[in-house]
Every structure is written in C-alpha cells, then in structure tokens.
Amino acid sequence: MTVTDEPVWADAHDRRRALAAPGLLARFNLPELLHAADVHVALRLGDLLEETDEEVLLATALAVRAVRTGSVCLDLATIADVPLEAEVALPWPEPSAWVERVGRSPLVREEMVRLVGTRLYLDRYWREEGQVCDDLVARIRRTPPEVDAAALDAGVLRVFPKDGYDEQRAAARAAASGWTAVLTGGPGTGKTTTVAGVLALVAEQHELDTGRSPRIALAAPTGKAAARLQEAVQEATDKLEDATDRQRLAGLQASTLHRLLGWRPDSRVRFRHDRTNRLPYDVVVVDETSMVSLTMMARLLEAVRGDARLVLVGDPDQLASVEAGAVLADLVAGFEGSPDSPVSALLTTHRFGEHIGALAQALRDGDADAAMAALHAGSDEVELVDPEDDAAMAGFRSRVVDVAMDLRRAAEAGDADGALEALSRHRLLCAHREGPYGVGGWNRMVERLVAERTGITHYEEWYAGRPILVTANDYDQLLNNGDMGATIRRDDGRLRVVVQVGEAVREFATTRLSGVETVHAMTVHKSQGSQAHTVSVVLPGEESRLLTRELFYTAVTRAQEQVRVVGTEAAIRSAIGREVQRASGLRERLRAALGD
C-alpha cells in the first residue's frame, strides 16, 4: 500500500466526505474513520460551548463515530491502533496529553461528553451504561424470592427426568431461585428446553406463594426471533411429561421488545412502560439477548418490576446488536468469578455432529489451527472449498444451483410443501451485501445459472421458484422481518408466495408483499436465529473488516447437518484472529460494583 499524508476519496462527492471540515477533522475524515455526520456533530457541540481545540473536537467526533460503529464509548489510549484499509499517516495526538486536554474541555465540564479514565462517552450512553449496571446490581442484591425447596427439588427432577440434563437442572434451579438469570449457550445446547423447564418451575413456585398463576411475557429483539421463541417454547412445553406443567405454560405468546415495552411513535428511545409505569408481568423472558443493544437493555431493565423474575437468554459468542453495545458478552464477562453471578452456561450441543461441533468450538476458542484441522478432517459434515480452485468452485456453484432447481421444480408444480422443504435445506451466507463475495452477486449468479439450465430468463421481478426474505415487519399480514418464503405457480397460472409460519403454511398474493428481497443468498447478520440442514459460508478476502470470528461462528452454527466453508486459509485465519472490538465500560462497572 502507498502511505499518504492526505485523506484519499475515490469519489470527491461521497456523502461521507465533510467538505468544510477544518484542520485535524479534515485529516481524519476518511471512509473507514470519520464521516461527515461525525464531524458535523463535533463542530456543533464545539460551537455551543465555544470549544475550538482541534484535538478535543477530534475526540468528540471519534466518540460519535464509536457509537455509529457499535461501541458505547471511545478509548483515547487505543484508538490510534484502529486498522485502516488505506495506509494514511495520521497525526494522532499523544494519548496522555490528549486525555488531559479533553478533561479540561467545557464539553466535559458541561457534561456534553463524559471522560472516565481514558474512555470518552457521549452523555446519553454514559448514563445508559450506568443505569444498566445499577439496575442489574440492584436486582442481584435484592432479597431473593421465597422458594419452597422441597417443591423445587421435586420439580427439577420432574421437568428434566432424563439422564444427561445436569446442566439444564442446574440452570433451572438457579433461575427459579433468583430475580435475575442469564442463560447462555450455543445453538443446540437446549436453551429453549431449559426456558420451558424454568417457566414450569417458576409457575409452580408462584402458585405456592400467591395462590395464582404468574403472568409471563416472552420477548425477543425482532419479530422473527419472537416467532421462533414462541414456537420453540410451545414445542418444548409439549414435551413436558407432567400435564399440570403443560397446562401452566399453555397459550404463551411472544412479542418483540418494542411491542412489550409499548413503542411510542413520537420517540425512538422511550416507551410507554418505564420506571413510572412498570410492566405487569411476574416473569419476563428475553431470547436472542446478544442482539439487544445497550439502549434497549436500559429500557427493559427500568420497565421490569423489581419483584418480577427476568431471564435473559442468548449466545455471547454470536454477532452483537447492530446498534451500540455488546451487552450479553459484557454481562457474562462482568459477572465472571462473582459469587453473586446469575449466569448459567449450557455447553453440550445436541444440534449438530461432532465435526461441526469441533469447528464451532475452535472458533469460540479462537484456535485457528484447530479450525483448520476440523476443516481438513475429511468429514461429510464439514467441507472446505478453495475459491482459487476453479474445478472446486464450479462444483460448489453447481450444488447451489441444484437446490435452486429443486425449488423451481416444486414451485412450477404448485407444490408448496416441496418448495418450502427445498428452501429450508440450504442457506448460502455472505458477509457482504454487494461485491464479489456479497449477497447481490450470488443472487444474480444463481438466477443466471438457473436460466442457463432451463433456457428461460426471467426479466420480471416475480417468477416461480423465487425465494424471498421479508425485510420489514408487516403487522397487517402477520409477517415478521426475517420470515422466508417461496414463490409458486398455482394451477390457474397465478403466482403466490407461501411462507411457513409455525405449523401453518400461509399463502399471499405477490402484490400484497412489499418489503421483500430475493434470497438465494443472505447475509450472516440476517441469518441469526435461523437454521438449515446445510449451510454454505462464503468468506470475503482476508482484508475485509467484516470478516470476524463472531461472524464466522454465527454462520457455521446455523448448520444442522453440514457446513461448507468457501475461503482461503488466509481468510479463515484472519477471521479467527479478528474479534469484534466494541469499546464499553459495562463489564468493568459490574466488576467494581459487585466487588464493593
């Protein structure tokens, strides 16, 4: 790479470029660093408080950028280590002097920004992080609920009667005995089974204590995740051997966190339920907590009654929220080693075989050698495809198109079940939306290769065999962001879209669906919470900043029976060696508070 002293913009009219940025802000206005919005916010705050120090304004702009890229704060001591795609010689301030100058700024004095050690926060996120810590610690230190020990002992054996469920029994016992529980585990470790057991035990305890059944809320960050939670809890409930336990959990409904808290159209960050208007539920279960942002966790904790049980469920190794924060990972790390820790970990997976499990474990451990060994083991479960091997890639593309052809044949025959089965058989996952490794390119490629096989090219948007992904909640149609469907042709020639919703297959006219996209391939982010018999993971080049251990792990663990990884060894090792870096002070705050 060429080292330059000036910012390099491929497009002089790029909207991320701050044309009027002065001094240091102009030097740091790079595509992968400061954007125009970051610069303008810093300049506006500087104008309000007559702050002209360029280093202070740079720190403020970088704090805005930190939130935009998923962090809660900015660490002034380490920000200079941020990797850049272009090697630009940037005049980073000396950290200790920089911290001192920021600390003397009126922006800090007037609490526009908050400086804690070397970490710089925008005021809102400093407050939310403190609130989450304080509310969690208060819940942990609250006098625990009264528990009928004999009934709990008998109940644990009743809901988990089989051998091999020691982890679930321990987690359920801990959750039933406290106001707060954090249940972690990878895919297939039995988290939902444990949740059903916990709810049965808590319901029994609540009945013994109050003489009535508890009010239970199930929630998740997205509509699709909420629907999956409801289905999974119902399935786990149906497997409970005791009829009374099944009756206790009958008819539970799940919703998004926004709906649970009472979304207000006049506010992006406040809800109808808050500290002055608490949720009426006795038990609140939140699934896919890894996807919950710091702001949403703050809103949830202030809305849950202190005498209500809160159960947070998720996998801390998966991709975090698209908004600021990595709350679940921070909670697990912050509570680690504390005798008051509410965290219970499920470690034994039941979803996939030993070879996928070995690869997933290697990714969790950050062990590149073990991951390469799993990929080269020659197992039917795990396959490595070299993108530089033309023959191997031709074979891979052919197998991807085979699935699309199966979907097309079922769709043309009007076979809804067959089309949905073909759709659930395979997921092609990419890190990027566009580019040579992106979803757009693979979608177009599959459509072109299908056209070559059939001799029929579709120029219209809708065609039989088009797989679709719902990209926005549609409450009128009862469809959730993340639902997938297949386009089929009925006997009268009309195209219809069929979507599996729980046990039912629902059918829609194409004209009634607006927020959808073609999904021969999808991003790893949008695949979170889903699963398929076979998963193909297309890794970008080793230089891609989206290529992280969390992304790779999330993709691999979507597979039930087989996973194919398309990537070079360099890309694989780069992914495993690059963890998502989200600056936060939550884990340190928790450790300090629990150590008091």
Side-chain angles (χ1 to χ4, degrees), residues 44-351:
R44 179 58 177 156
L45 291 177
D47 288 344
L48 287 173
L49 294 178
E50 299 181 348
E51 174 59 83
T52 59
D53 189 318
E54 287 193 1
E55 291 191 4
V56 174
L57 295 177
L58 173 63
T60 304
L62 289 168
V64 177
R65 179 238 182 215
V67 172
R68 174 172 57 78
T69 56
S71 291
V72 174
C73 58
L74 164 73
D75 192 335
L76 294 172
T78 61
I79 183 60
D81 298 329
V82 62
L84 301 177
E85 293 179 8
E87 291 193 9
V88 181
L90 292 173
W92 289 101
E94 193 281 320
S96 58
W98 197 10
V99 170
E100 185 176 344
R101 293 178 76 151
V102 171
R104 295 197 302 265
S105 169
L107 295 180
V108 171
R109 188 169 57 251
E110 297 299 323
E111 299 180 346
M112 292 286 190
V113 295
R114 302 283 190 144
L115 184 64
V116 181
T118 61
R119 290 196 295 268
L120 184 66
Y121 295 78
L122 301 181
D123 178 64
R124 168 187 154 188
Y125 293 93
W126 177 83
R127 290 177 181 274
E128 288 178 344
E129 187 179 270
Q131 180 205 318
V132 167
C133 176
D134 292 345
D135 284 348
L136 281 170
V137 171
R139 292 184 62 85
I140 297 298
R141 289 181 171 167
R142 185 184 180 93
T143 302
E146 293 186 9
V147 172
D148 186 318
L152 180 58
D153 290 341
V156 167
L157 295 176
R158 185 182 68 248
V159 297
F160 299 113
K162 300 178 181 178
D163 293 336
Y165 282 81
D166 290 343
E167 292 175 352
Q168 283 79 4
R169 292 189 190 102
R173 184 183 295 277
S177 301
W179 296 116
T180 305
V182 180
L183 180 63
T184 69
T189 54
K191 296 191 296 294
T192 309
T193 300
T194 305
V195 166
V198 167
L199 292 177
L201 295 174
V202 167
E204 180 181 39
Q205 292 290 327
H206 196 273
E207 290 168 4
L208 292 172
D209 183 38
T210 66
R212 65 173 179 84
S213 298
R215 292 162 292 187
I216 299 173
L218 304 178
T222 67
K224 181 62 175 177
R228 285 193 298 268
L229 172 62
Q230 182 174 317
E231 294 164 15
V233 168
Q234 185 58 58
E235 182 180 342
T237 298
D238 292 342
K239 294 179 181 178
L240 293 173
E241 296 185 2
D242 188 88
T244 302
D245 287 329
R246 294 195 298 272
Q247 180 60 36
R248 287 178 173 127
L249 307 186
L252 289 180
Q253 301 291 310
S255 71
T256 63
L257 280 170
H258 284 79
R259 279 200 160 189
L260 174 74
L261 297 176
W263 177 73
R264 287 170 44 185
D266 61 329
S267 174
R268 290 185 63 250
V269 296
R270 306 307 302 189
F271 296 89
R272 184 163 53 86
H273 290 288
D274 55 21
R275 214 174 290 280
T276 62
N277 180 29
R278 304 274 190 162
L279 289 165
Y281 300 101
D282 303 300
V283 186
V284 177
V285 176
V286 179
D287 196 17
E288 298 289 356
T289 307
S290 64
M291 299 166 64
V292 177
S293 67
L294 177 69
T295 295
M296 185 57 75
M297 183 59 71
R299 302 291 83 80
L300 172 68
L301 288 171
E302 69 184 12
V304 177
R305 300 196 326 262
D307 61 346
R309 286 178 170 88
L310 175 64
V311 182
L312 304 175
V313 186
D315 184 350
D317 296 310
Q318 284 192 22
L319 287 166
S321 166
V322 295
E323 298 179 45
V327 178
L328 182 60
D330 283 342
L331 296 191
V332 172
F335 284 122
E336 185 176 8
S338 170
D340 299 322
S341 175
V343 179
S344 297
L346 303 179
L347 304 175
T348 305
T349 183
H350 306 284
R351 174 184 289 184

